[in-house]
Structure formats: C-alpha cells, structure tokens
Amino acid sequence: MPNAVPLSWYLILSAILFGLGVAGFIFRRNIITVFMSIELMLNAVNLTFVTFSYQFKQVDGHIYSFFVMVVAAAEAAVGLAIILTVFKNRSTLMIDDVNSMKY
Amino acid sequence: MPANFAPSAADYLRILPEIIMTVAGVLIMLLEGWLGENKKRNLSVQTFVAFAAALVSAVAANGNPGLSFSNMLIVDGFATFFRVLVIAVGILSLFSATQYLKREHAESSEYYALLLFSVTGQCIMATANELIMIFIGLEISSIATYVLAGYLRDDKRNNEAALKYFLLGSFATAFLLYGIAWIYGTTGSTNLSTIRIALLTPGSETNVILAGTAAALMFVGFAFKVSAAPFQIWAPDVYQGAPAPVTLFMSAGPKAAAFAVFLRVFMTAFGPITSRWEPFVWSSALLTMIIGNFAALMQTNIKRLLAYSSIANAGYVMVAIAADSQIGVAAAMFYLAAYAFMNIGAFAVVTHFSRQGEKFVNVEDLAGLGWKQPVTAALFSIFLLSLIGVPLTGGFFGKFYIFKAALDANLVWLTVLGLLNSAVAAYYYLRILVVMYMKEPGEATLSLQPVGVGIAATLWISAVGTLVLGIFPSVVLNFATASSALVK
C-alpha cells in the first residue's frame, strides 16, 4: 500500500486522544463530561491496540479492543447508575459540590 | 501456541474457585428475584457455603499446579496464597456485613452476590499470567466494589464514595490499559513470560524506552489501585464514605489482589528492566509512608484515620517491592496476610461501634470502651498493637521481614526512613488506646449494644490470625518463601 497513512500517525493520534482524555478528566467540572473523558481514554487505547495488531498482522489486538469495549460498557452501566443516585440526592452534577467529606 | 485450544479437565479444576463463586453469585441474584421482597429470606448462609467451597477448591487446585487455558492463567503457590487470602477476606467481610445490613434495614442479597463477584475478580487477578486477564480480573473486582461502595443508595456519603471510587478507579484502569497496549506494541505479546523473553533479548534502545514508558503507565494504574502515593488521594474519601463493612473489605481484598498482580507483573515481565522502574517504586514507597503516617496524625474520624493508616501500610509493601528480590516478594506476601487480619479486625470494631447510620465514627466517641466492653476493647488493642508492629503480633514480623528484605537489597536509607515512619505511626494508634482506656465513657459508649454473632466471629478470627502470624510466623512465611520464586 504505497499511499497508506503511516502507522505512527495512528499512534500519535491515539496519544493525543489519550492526553485530551486526561486533560478533560482533570479540568472539566461536570461529572458526565468527566466520565466521557474516561471513555475517550479507553477509545484511545482501542486505537492503539488495533494499530499494533494491524502492524503485527495478528488478530490478538482486535480481540483485546473488543474486551475493552465490553468492559467499558459494563463500567458505563454502573457509572451512570452511580451518577444518577448522586444527582437524585444532591440535585447537582458539578464535581466540586460533591465534597462533603473534607473538613 | 498449542494446536489444541480445547481446555482440558485439569484446566477447569484449576479455575474451580472462580467458577463456583460466579455460579453462586448468579444463582443468588436469581433467587433474590424469585423469592421476592416479602419473604425476607437471607441468603448469607448460601454465600458462606459458596465461599467455603471456593476456599477448599483453591487449596485443592494447588495440588496440581501449572499453566492453563493456553498459558493465560497460572496456578502456583503465589496464586494459591493470594486466592486463599482474598477468599478469607470475603468470608470475614460476609460475617460483619450480615449484621450491618440488618441494622441499616438494607437486607438484600445483592450485597452477597456483589461480594462473590468481587472476590472472583480478585482470584482471577491472582492467577492471571497475561495482561488482558489481569485487566478483566481487575475490572470484575472493581465494578462490583464500586457498587458496594455506594450500597446504601439514599446515603449521601455512600453516593459520594461510590462516585469518587468509580471515577478515579476507571481513570486508573485507562492508564493501566494504555500501558498494556504499549507493551503489546513493543513486544508483540501480552503474556508475561513472552514479554520477559522479549525484553531479555538485546534489542534497540527505542524498545527499552517504550517498554519503560509502558511500565510507567502500568505503574500509575497499579499505584492507584493499591493507594500508593502520589495516587492515593481517593482513598481517604472513599474509605470514609463507604459503608463500614465495605471499607473493611476493600482495604484488604482488592488491595491484596492489586499487590499480587503488581508483584507478578513487575517481577516477571518487567524483571529485565528493573533499573528503570525501581527508583519510581522506591520514591513512591517513601512518599506513601510519609503521607499516610503524617496525615493520619491529624485525623479525628476513625475511618479516615484507618484509611491513612492503610495508605501508610501500602507504603511498607512498596518497600518490599523496591527490594526486588525473592525475600522481598515473600515479605510482601506475609505482610499482606498480616495486614488483612489486623485491618479487618479494626474495621469490624468500627462497624460494631458506629451504630445505625454510622453516627459514632470519631476517635473521641470511643472513650471508655475499655470499661464498657473489655473484650471488644482488648481485641481492638491487639489489632492496633499489630498495626504499630509490637512483637508477638503479625504486624511485627511483617515489618521485620520487609525491612530485612530492604536491607539485604542495600536500601539502607529507605529502611531507616521506614522505621522512623513506623515510630510516627505508633502515636496515632496509641492515641486510640489512650482514649479507649483512660477516658470516662461518654454517651456513645454507654449506649453501646453487645457485639452480635457475625462481628464477634470476624473479631475473633482476625485476632487469632494476627496472633498466629505473630507467634508462629514460620508456617506462613515458609509457604510464602517457597512460592516467591515466580514462574518466569
């Protein structure tokens, strides 16, 4: 494939996505957005897995990315339920308002 | 790669504990729905039977050690040690939870099912010989524990604990996964032995740097899970906010399992690049001990105090990892067992004392406990003395072996600073003893009910465990030493 995009570009893209996820996790204040940042990080991981898998001509990495997706879905189910209960009890989704345990 | 992928009977026997607990957990969830709310049937007995069967099969599996499922899982002494430990933690937290759930009017069997699932995940972590299996086990354990941390849905503190645990836990998992992806890219495999071989073969400098980066990313993930500095910030809030029996569970079980994979991955797969990660573990160990102990000095809430104590204890285990030797692995294993008993005991006292809605969780509330309930106070004293590291308790030998391993590895400064830290730690543990024995009983102590059967069982078993490890340490230590040479 002479005109294919070099693999390193995918890796750089995944690193940027991961970095954006980390930045979003640290700087965003809305709980849902923070949660979305984590999902972004997981997707960056998937991209890395698939890239390497393509490079090695192996199927392993593709399968790993499915594992990651399944686990991310399970995590999302539990996470959104937790976020819902927090919202029900406090009527807020701002992460700074959820700090009753500092004294 | 074996040509035949079909698992053999021996493979299934090796993961029998996980199978038993998974099936039992699913059955309990089904039975819960089937029996209905009005029957008020308590499924704790069934849960106990499942745990006991898993414990027996975990011990039995050690009779036929080896790799299974295309080298994805490994049953060896190390795996057996941690499987038995986490199942024991599961049983002890089951005992203290039954009474707690009755008290909070939250008796539902989901709690037991989640406990079973969480322990299953930890068992998978203990036996995993492959990074993706480690990830799966870690997530099974973590997701169940996130729900447990927020078990009382209408309690604001429970919600907050669950939210923080969930967000920071998933964040850490993402780092771990990114590290796994990079090590897969560097070595072309996720099997620990294959990674080790790939890193041992002399390659380009880029590969070593990439492997080092992957190790660093995975270190971040593991450090979060074991609450080691600088990734310990979540622990105090989560331990304080979660229900007391859940705190009891997660400060012992998930932590031991996380340390098990930490040890296995860094000693086997990343063994060839020790010089690159050792300074990080070294400084993290020191920082963890200092932050844990000095922050604990200023706490008034006993759950928060024990949370910082738990951070400090993670620091001691990190010292053993920094030693990077077989003695270090054995010392870490011994310490984690001793720590599980003494910490579970201490949190069981907190569970008992806090009363409905966890009203009494301040250190000052314990005033006069020594006069009101001498037996409870005496058992609590054993746990506290063990946490200090007084001879004849498990905590003493645990610390002794860890610092001996560190000295053997020429980590003199780390040993000296670690010992100074344990001296600081003595202050806040002794403060609890002083409050218990030297102060007049207050309102909190006078209204205290007698200890129930479940918590009494937890207390006595933990106390016996702590003392046996302190008086006959060789029994456990010999097993730990024999299994500390991890399969490489």
Side-chain angles (χ1 to χ4, degrees):
Chain A
M1 280 172 290
N3 295 322
V5 181
L7 283 179
S8 59
W9 290 22
Y10 288 105
L11 294 178
I12 292 167
L13 175 65
S14 79
I16 292 172
L17 282 177
F18 193 84
L20 281 175
V22 174
F25 182 89
I26 294 170
F27 296 115
R28 286 308 188 113
R29 301 272 63 108
N30 185 302
I31 298 174
I32 303 274
T33 323
V34 169
F35 180 55
M36 278 162 58
S37 307
I38 295 173
E39 295 292 313
L40 188 63
M41 289 163 74
L42 292 177
N43 284 330
V45 171
N46 278 343
L47 184 58
T48 318
F49 269 130
V50 173
T51 310
F52 282 130
S53 187
Y54 182 76
Q55 185 195 356
F56 294 137
K57 303 281 180 277
Q58 282 179 355
V59 78
D60 303 28
H62 295 286
I63 298 172
Y64 298 157
S65 70
F66 279 110
F67 275 113
V68 175
M69 279 186 229
V70 169
V71 168
E75 219 172 50
V78 167
L80 289 173
I82 291 174
I83 295 173
L84 264 181
T85 55
V86 169
F87 184 73
K88 208 175 76 187
N89 280 334
R90 297 178 193 249
S91 314
T92 177
L93 276 178
M94 289 298 132
I95 205 128
D96 299 312
D97 298 338
V98 189
N99 63 344
S100 61
M101 274 173 294
K102 295 271 154 52
Y103 63 96
Chain B
M1 181 100 19
N4 183 12
F5 286 104
S8 65
D11 285 349
Y12 287 114
L13 279 179
R14 286 186 189 127
I15 60 154
L16 198 56
E18 285 89 345
I19 296 177
I20 292 174
M21 287 189 289
T22 313
V23 171
V26 173
L27 282 181
I28 283 170
M29 294 207 98
L30 288 174
L31 269 178
E32 166 81 2
W34 191 44
L35 291 171
E37 290 251 340
N38 48 353
K39 294 221 173 162
K40 278 284 168 209
R41 186 77 80 79
N42 192 323
L43 296 174
S44 55
V45 179
Q46 286 84 338
T47 314
F48 175 70
V49 171
F51 270 133
L55 192 67
V56 171
S57 55
V59 174
N62 195 38
N64 182 19
L67 295 156
S68 43
F69 293 103
S70 310
N71 300 346
M72 290 214 286
L73 295 175
I74 180 168
V75 173
D76 54 1
F78 185 81
T80 307
F81 185 92
F82 278 104
R83 281 215 281 203
V84 169
L85 181 60
V86 293
I87 295 173
V89 169
I91 292 175
L92 288 176
S93 49
L94 172 71
F95 286 160
S96 52
T98 45
Q99 206 177 326
Y100 178 88
L101 293 176
K102 192 175 280 175
R103 186 179 88 194
E104 304 289 338
H105 307 296
E107 274 182 297
S108 68
S109 305
E110 288 148 34
Y111 189 98
Y112 306 128
L114 288 167
L115 201 59
L116 281 164
F117 291 143
S118 184
V119 175
T120 309
Q122 290 152 29
C123 284
I124 294 177
M125 285 161 81
T127 44
N129 191 35
E130 209 255 349
L131 293 173
I132 295 295
M133 284 311 291
I134 289 177
F135 162 66
I136 302 276
L138 187 72
E139 281 301 281
I140 295 176
S141 158
S142 300
I143 292 177
T145 320
Y146 299 151
V147 184
L148 282 177
Y151 194 73
L152 306 173
R153 305 196 271 286
D154 298 324
D155 187 301
K156 276 191 172 187
R157 287 174 299 179
N158 276 207
N159 286 163
E160 185 177 335
L163 181 72
K164 286 182 175 167
Y165 195 28
F166 164 71
L167 286 179
L168 289 163
S170 321
F171 186 60
T173 311
F175 273 94
L176 177 72
L177 262 182
Y178 201 44
I180 294 176
W182 275 99
I183 200 74
Y184 171 66
T186 314
T187 61
S189 172
T190 49
N191 186 289
L192 297 185
S193 319
T194 320
I195 293 171
R196 182 184 172 84
I197 293 164
L199 292 180
L200 276 175
T201 30
S204 65
E205 181 63 10
T206 341
N207 270 3
V208 176
I209 291 172
L210 282 179
T213 316
L217 285 165
M218 291 179 71
F219 174 75
V220 173
F222 288 141
F224 256 110
K225 293 289 172 189
V226 300
S227 69
F231 310 105
Q232 88 298 353
I233 21 158
W234 60 274
D237 281 359
V238 173
Y239 283 21
Q240 186 190 343
V246 176
T247 313
L248 174 155
F249 173 67
M250 66 187 174
S251 66
K255 200 169 204 163
F259 266 120
V261 285
F262 198 151
L263 283 165
R264 204 194 275 280
V265 170
F266 277 73
M267 296 290 159
T268 60
F270 294 140
I273 51 166
T274 305
S275 59
R276 296 201 171 246
W277 54 260
E278 207 186 4
F280 291 101
V281 176
W282 194 101
S283 32
S284 170
L286 184 59
L287 203 59
T288 313
M289 288 190 292
I290 292 176
I291 291 179
N293 282 322
F294 281 88
L297 288 178
M298 288 170 279
Q299 302 308 319
T300 52
N301 182 306
I302 191 153
K303 279 169 94 182
R304 211 173 168 85
L305 188 150
L306 287 173
Y308 278 110
S309 133
S310 155
I311 293 173
N313 279 292
Y316 300 133
V317 184
M318 295 288 277
V319 172
I321 299 179
D324 184 37
S325 62
Q326 273 198 38
I327 314 173
V329 176
M333 289 163 80
F334 185 91
Y335 195 79
L336 284 167
Y339 170 72
F341 282 123
M342 58 203 187
N343 204 49
I344 285 178
F347 273 115
V349 175
V350 175
T351 310
H352 164 59
F353 194 85
S354 57
R355 252 66 59 81
Q356 201 198 347
E358 301 202 2
K359 282 195 291 278
F360 303 111
V361 280
N362 283 328
V363 176
E364 293 303 314
D365 290 336
L366 288 165
L369 183 67
W371 309 113
K372 170 81 179 173
Q373 288 193 352
V375 180
T376 315
L379 293 172
F380 196 17
S381 311
I382 292 176
F383 305 132
L384 291 173
L385 291 174
S386 179
L387 283 163
I388 296 173
V390 172
L392 291 185
T393 59
F396 169 75
F397 279 107
K399 282 207 180 73
F400 176 77
Y401 294 135
I402 282 179
F403 289 125
K404 185 174 176 303
L407 272 185
D408 288 350
N410 282 325
L411 299 172
V412 180
W413 276 108
L414 196 56
T415 312
V416 171
L417 291 167
L419 286 172
L420 285 176
N421 256 291
S422 354
V424 173
Y427 174 79
Y428 57 82
Y429 295 127
L430 285 175
R431 203 181 79 204
I432 303 179
L433 282 179
V434 168
V435 169
M436 257 187 343
Y437 283 104
M438 311 263 179
K439 290 210 171 158
E440 291 294 313
E443 178 228 347
T445 315
L446 290 173
S447 60
L448 191 61
Q449 301 291 316
V451 186
V453 185
I455 289 185
T458 316
L459 284 175
W460 281 104
I461 296 172
S462 311
V464 169
T466 309
L467 290 176
V468 165
L469 286 176
I471 299 170
F472 310 106
S474 53
V475 182
V476 175
L477 190 75
N478 287 346
F479 185 81
T481 315
S483 49
S484 60
L486 299 166
V487 175
K488 292 172 176 155

